[in-house]
Structures are given as C-alpha cells and as structure tokens.
C-alpha cells in the first residue's frame, strides 16, 4: 500500500513482476463471494427446488432466454458461460463501490479494458469456432473489400468504447458521491448512491448486452452470407 | 486514469478463472437440473398423453359397450314384455276357464241345492198335507166312509190281476193258519163274513185262522195281511203311500 493513482486505485503490494492493486483484490473478493454462493446454493440441488435454487435457476433461465432470442439453442449453450459471467460479475463489481472503503473494480480502466479485450477476443473465438477461420475473416470483406478498414476501425473503437463507457460511468458515480460527501456531509450522497444502484445495474446490462450482440454478430455473419448464396 | 498492465493481465486471468468456476460449480449443475426437470416434465407429459390416449380408448370402448348393453337391454325388455303379454293372456285364459268351471260347478250346486230344497219343501208340504188330511179325515171319518172303503176293497179284489191272485193264493197256502184283518171301526159278524166271502171268492177257501181286530189309527177302512202280503183299503195307508210316493218322485 505504498503507491496510489489519483483515482484511488492503490497498489497494495508486488507479487514478483505483478503489482497487486485494490482492483485485483476486490475482484478476488467478488470471485470468492460468487464461488462460495455457488457452492452454497448448489450443495443441495433437487428437482423440487428450494428458494435459493429457484432464484439461481431464475437467473440462468432469464439469461438463457435473452441469449436465446439472438442465437440458436446450441450457440446459446456455448455462449452462456461467458455472457452470464459478464452480467453476474459486473452487477456485483459495480455494486461493490457502495460499500464504504471499497472501490468498484469497474471504476478502474485496467479492469474494464481487460473485460473489453475478452469480449473482443470472444467475438472472434466464437465466430471462428462456428464458421471457420477463412469464412469468418471473409465477412470483413463483405459487402465490399473497400469496407475492410471501417470494419477494423469498428472492431477497435467498439472495444475501446466498451471499456471507457463502463469505466467512465462507474468512476464518475463514485467520484460524484465522494465529492458530495466532502462538500455536503454524511447523508447527502444517499440519492447519488441510490442512483449508483440503478446505474450499476444498467451499465452491467449494457455491457453484457453489447458483448452478446457483438458475439451474435460474429456468429451470424457467416450464416447470413450462406443464406444469401443459397438458391 | 492510466492503464496498469499488471491489473489488466490479472483481471483477464481473474475473469477467465471466474468463468471456469461459475461454469463448473454453477451453470452446469443448474442447467443439468433444469434439463432433468424438463426431461421429467416431458416424460410426464408423454405419460399423460399415453394415459390420455388409453383413457380415450377405454372411454370409446366403454361407450360402445354401454351402447351394446343398451341395445341388449332394450331387446331383453321387448322380449320380456312380449313374454309378459303371452303369459298374461295364458293366465287370463286359464282364469276364464277356471271361472267357467267354478261357475258351472256353482250352477250345478245351486241347482242341486234348489232341487234338494224343493224336494224337502215338497216332502214337508206332503207331510203337512198328509198330517192335515189325516186330521181332517179323522174328523170326517165315520161309519159311512168306513163302509164305502170296505166296499171299495171288495170291488178292487175283483180287479186284481191273475198274477197277483196267484201270489196271494200261494201266500195263503204258506201261511194258511193266520189271516189278520185290521179295521178302523169294529166289524160286526156280517161285515166280517162279507170280507171273508169276498177274499175266498178270489183266492179260494181258507182253512186257516181268521183274526179281526180294531186299529183306530187307520182312520177308516181296513188292512188285511195274508202271509207276507198286505191288502189295504184304509185312509192311513193311503195317506202314507201318497206321501211316500210323492217323496219317491
């Protein structure tokens, strides 16, 4: 805990060449909570579910239904772990900032960039798995090779936009709450904290939905081309 | 707002680990349970569909059986009604026959009873008439009537057929020792002699004993016994014969 950046992301200690910041520790905490909750809820799975199992099944069924609106059932089953983990993790990570003394991992550009990078890679990973490398790369040349630069720029900018949008919203909320606390007193930031809850859920939904749309675009590009070529 | 590459790399690794953890301990178990439940629901729906089909089949079978039963029931009812009509007609005919027999029997019994009553009434009437006539004749009887009856007896002796005379003659021989003459009024000698002469003229002379005696119950007239034969011309015997003859009829 000997170094800190201006936005409160403190480097707590070094582990070899890696600097462990509060963002990483908070992420580990979130991961631990999710793992323990999973173990706790899934310890007694039955066909006749209890309240916690019902809630867990409801979460997964809802996410599956949303994914199923865009993808085939087989593709949805492949994509579900990534997209569902994004939504669940982002909800928890965004709400961590409400706890005094803790900062949301998503208020750190490094964390949101890492997630955006994973979304970027997953789009290509799922697209190549579904269509093959050549077919997948061919969609950058459609409808005309002239659009290839724009496709490439789009890939980069939408990834950067993902990272910056989430980082900017969550960081600004925490910053606003902190400033109001400094200026107005103890209970003044409460409306801002309530807004933080809504914003955390909305931003998690937007990030996950955009990731799903990008992945679905990569999966369905080849299918659309095949449908057009079909007699 | 600077990018920390260590945090960046650790966040990538952390998220990949989180995906693995949740997939291993959360998504797969829950999805498996959901799939099991869906399979169970599908199985139950399939079972329900099979049972529904079986139930429909059973329902149609039972409806057909009920229809058959209804047809059989109606046929049996019609047969029973026809049998009842036949049995009723048979019983009515038997009852009519029995009634006819009873009617005939009652008619015969009534007729017999009426005949018996009439005969009894006639008998009683005759007895009453005989008694009345006896009392009347007892009042009216006298020597004149007695004489006329004796004369009537003597006259009738002349009209007896030959066969009767032979039998009387035989009786006189068998019982020659006794001829009894019973009269309602005492007979004097001449009267007794007239009677003996009239009898001996018809059946021959008799060596037997003649016995004359009086019996007022004869009212008027006389009675003569010769062996096993009786000759009479008196009111009592006539009245008795009259009533017995009427009764015999």
């Amino acid at each position: 805990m000997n170094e800190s950046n201006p936005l409160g992301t403190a480097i707590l200690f070094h582990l070899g060449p890696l600097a462990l910041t509060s963002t990483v520790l908070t992420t580990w905490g979130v991961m631990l909570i999710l793992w323990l909750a999973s173990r706790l809820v899934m310890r007694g799975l039955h066909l006749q579910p209890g309240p916690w199992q019902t809630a867990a099944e409801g979460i997964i069924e809802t996410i599956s239904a949303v994914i199923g609106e865009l993808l085939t059932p087989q593709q949805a089953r492949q994509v579900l772990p990534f997209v569902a983990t994004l939504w669940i993790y982002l909800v928890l990570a965004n709400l961590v900032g409400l706890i005094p003394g803790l900062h949301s991992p998503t208020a750190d550009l490094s964390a949101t960039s890492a997630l955006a990078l994973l979304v970027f890679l997953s789009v290509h990973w799922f697209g190549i798995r579904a269509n093959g490398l050549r077919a997948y790369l061919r969609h950058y040349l459609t409808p005309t090779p002239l659009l290839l630069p724009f496709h490439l720029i789009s890939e980069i900018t939408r990834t950067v936009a993902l990272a910056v949008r989430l980082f900017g919203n969550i960081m600004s909320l925490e910053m606003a709450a902190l400033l109001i606390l400094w200026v107005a007193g103890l209970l003044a930031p409460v409306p801002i904290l309530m807004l933080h809850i809504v914003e955390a859920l909305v931003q998690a939904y937007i990030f996950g939905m955009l990731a799903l749309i990008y992945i679905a675009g990569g999966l369905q590009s080849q299918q659309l081309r095949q449908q057009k070529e079909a007699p | 707002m600077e990018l920390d590459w260590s945090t960046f790399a650790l966040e990538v690794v952390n998220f990949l680990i989180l995906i693995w953890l949740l997939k291993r301990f959360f998504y797969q178990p829950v999805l498996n349970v959901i799939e099991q439940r869906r399979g169970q629901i599908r199985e139950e729906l399939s079972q329900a569909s099979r049972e529904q089909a079986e139930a429909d089949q059973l329902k149609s079978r039972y409806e057909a059986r009920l229809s058959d039963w209804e047809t059989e029931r109606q046929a049996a009812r019609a047969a029973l009604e026809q049998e009842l009509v036949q049995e009723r007609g048979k019983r009515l005919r038997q009852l009519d026959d029995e009634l006819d027999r009873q009617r005939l029997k009652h008619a015969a019994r009534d007729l017999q009873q009426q005949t018996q009553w009439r005969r009894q009434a006639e008998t009683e009437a005759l007895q009453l008439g005989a008694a009345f006539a006896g009392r009347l004749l007892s009042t009216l009887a006298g020597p004149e009537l007695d004489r006329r009856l004796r004369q009537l007896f003597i006259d009738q002796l002349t009209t007896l057929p030959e066969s009767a005379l032979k039998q009387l003659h035989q009786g006189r021989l068998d019982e020659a020792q006794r001829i009894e003459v019973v009269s309602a009024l005492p007979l004097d000698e001449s009267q007794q002699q007239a009677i003996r002469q009239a009898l001996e003229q018809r059946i021959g002379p008799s060596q037997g004993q003649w016995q004359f005696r009086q019996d007022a119950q004869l009212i008027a007239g006389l009675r003569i016994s010769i062996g096993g034969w009786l000759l009479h011309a008196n009111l009592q015997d006539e009245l008795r014969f009259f009533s017995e003859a009427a009764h015999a009829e």
Side-chain angles (χ1 to χ4, degrees):
Chain A
M1 201 178 296
N2 51 2
E3 294 179 31
S4 65
N5 61 30
L7 294 177
T9 303
I11 296 175
L12 302 177
F13 55 88
H14 287 275
L15 190 65
L18 299 175
L20 298 180
T21 61
S22 60
T23 299
V24 174
L25 286 183
T26 308
T27 302
W28 285 351
V30 171
M31 290 170 62
L32 182 64
I33 289 171
L34 286 175
W35 181 70
L36 289 176
S38 299
R39 297 289 293 174
L40 190 64
V41 171
M42 298 301 111
R43 193 166 53 186
L45 284 177
H46 297 289
L47 291 179
Q48 300 292 331
W52 293 108
Q53 184 179 339
T54 302
E57 290 182 8
I59 292 170
I60 293 183
E61 287 279 13
T62 304
I63 295 173
S64 295
V66 173
I67 298 172
E69 291 177 359
L70 298 176
L71 300 176
T72 65
Q74 183 183 0
Q75 292 171 341
R77 197 168 180 82
Q78 293 175 352
V79 170
L80 173 72
F82 180 76
V83 176
T85 305
L86 265 182
W87 264 320
I88 294 170
Y89 169 72
L90 286 176
V91 167
L92 232 63
N94 290 345
L95 292 175
V96 163
L98 292 172
I99 300 173
L102 294 179
H103 293 286
S104 294
T106 48
D108 188 346
L109 183 61
S110 303
T112 57
S113 299
L115 295 176
L117 177 67
L118 287 173
V119 171
F120 173 80
L121 294 177
S122 66
V123 170
H124 303 304
W125 167 253
F126 288 118
I128 292 170
R129 276 186 65 187
N131 306 315
L133 180 61
R134 288 174 58 85
Y136 178 73
L137 292 177
R138 193 177 299 155
H139 91 277
Y140 286 106
L141 304 177
T142 56
T144 168
L146 293 176
L147 292 178
L148 175 64
F150 297 99
H151 282 302
L152 296 177
I153 292 170
S154 169
E155 291 287 341
I156 295 169
T157 54
R158 73 185 187 186
T159 305
V160 173
L162 268 180
V164 174
R165 182 188 304 110
L166 181 61
F167 160 73
N169 280 283
I170 301 302
M171 184 273 291
S172 60
L173 280 173
E174 289 189 359
M175 186 67 71
L178 185 62
L179 289 175
I180 291 172
L181 181 64
W182 282 344
V183 173
L186 182 62
L187 297 177
V190 170
I192 291 296
L193 294 178
M194 294 174 68
L195 179 63
H196 189 155
I197 295 173
V198 177
E199 186 67 16
L201 297 176
V202 170
Q203 287 304 320
Y205 177 77
I206 289 173
F207 193 98
M209 183 56 75
L210 286 174
L212 175 61
I213 290 171
Y214 297 157
I215 292 169
L219 285 170
Q220 293 173 352
S221 60
Q222 180 64 12
Q223 293 175 1
L224 291 174
R225 190 182 66 81
Q226 288 173 350
Q227 288 175 2
K228 286 179 181 178
E229 291 176 359
Chain B
M1 190 179 67
E2 62 184 18
L3 199 60
D4 182 38
W5 292 107
S6 294
T7 303
F8 180 84
L10 287 173
E11 285 295 322
V12 169
V13 174
N14 286 342
F15 192 76
L16 291 177
I17 292 172
L18 183 61
I19 290 174
W20 181 83
L21 283 175
L22 290 181
K23 183 179 179 183
R24 172 74 177 77
F25 296 106
F26 187 59
Y27 302 140
Q28 281 185 347
V30 172
L31 287 174
N32 288 337
V33 168
I34 291 172
E35 190 57 35
Q36 284 180 9
R37 187 179 298 118
R38 283 177 178 165
Q40 185 178 1
I41 291 171
R42 280 195 299 271
E43 179 63 27
E44 289 176 355
L45 286 175
S46 175
Q47 179 70 20
S49 298
R50 286 197 298 272
E51 291 178 355
Q52 178 72 33
E54 291 176 1
D56 291 340
Q57 189 177 2
L58 283 176
K59 183 183 175 187
S60 61
R61 191 184 302 167
Y62 287 141
E63 285 176 350
R65 192 175 296 173
L66 282 175
S67 176
D68 293 342
W69 284 348
E70 180 65 20
T71 305
E72 291 178 5
R73 190 180 70 83
Q74 289 180 354
R77 187 187 181 101
L80 180 62
E81 287 178 352
Q82 187 177 1
E83 189 177 350
L84 283 175
V85 168
Q86 292 176 351
E87 185 67 20
R88 184 176 175 216
K90 181 182 174 184
R91 293 286 180 88
L92 283 175
R93 285 193 298 276
Q94 289 178 350
L95 187 59
D96 288 341
D97 294 342
E98 183 68 22
L99 283 175
D100 289 341
R101 283 196 298 274
Q102 291 293 333
R103 198 175 293 120
L104 290 173
K105 189 185 294 183
H106 282 288
R109 191 167 59 192
D110 290 345
L111 182 61
Q112 183 181 5
Q113 196 169 11
Q114 286 176 4
T115 304
Q116 188 176 358
W117 287 345
R118 189 177 68 245
R119 188 169 297 170
Q120 186 177 357
E122 287 174 353
T123 303
E124 290 178 357
L126 287 172
Q127 288 175 351
L128 286 174
F132 177 74
R135 282 196 300 272
L136 182 61
L137 290 174
S138 297
T139 307
L140 297 176
E144 179 59 23
L145 181 59
D146 189 69
R147 185 191 65 78
R148 291 178 63 184
L149 285 173
R150 286 198 306 274
Q151 187 59 44
L152 178 63
F153 173 75
I154 292 168
D155 293 342
Q156 286 181 346
L157 282 176
T158 60
T159 63
L160 280 175
E162 286 300 323
S163 57
L165 290 174
K166 285 181 180 177
Q167 289 176 351
L168 284 173
H169 181 68
Q170 186 64 34
R172 179 186 61 81
L173 293 176
D174 294 340
E175 301 287 342
Q177 68 276 13
R178 191 169 179 269
I179 297 174
E180 185 183 26
V181 179
V182 181
S183 61
L185 295 175
L187 298 174
D188 56 15
E189 190 62 28
S190 62
Q191 291 171 340
Q192 291 179 0
Q193 190 62 35
I195 292 170
R196 289 182 61 175
Q197 286 179 352
L199 273 174
E200 286 175 351
Q201 280 182 352
R202 295 301 295 169
I203 63 175
S206 175
Q207 300 301 324
Q209 182 183 1
W210 287 77
Q211 184 179 358
F212 292 90
R213 68 179 178 89
Q214 183 192 359
D215 187 358
Q217 289 183 350
L218 297 181
I219 303 173
L222 52 84
R223 180 192 302 141
I224 299 172
S225 62
I226 304 172
W229 296 90
L230 282 177
L231 298 175
H232 55 83
N234 60 77
L235 292 179
Q236 184 193 25
D237 288 341
E238 291 301 327
L239 288 173
R240 187 174 68 246
F241 291 155
F242 171 72
S243 67
E244 288 179 355
H247 185 67
E249 290 176 357

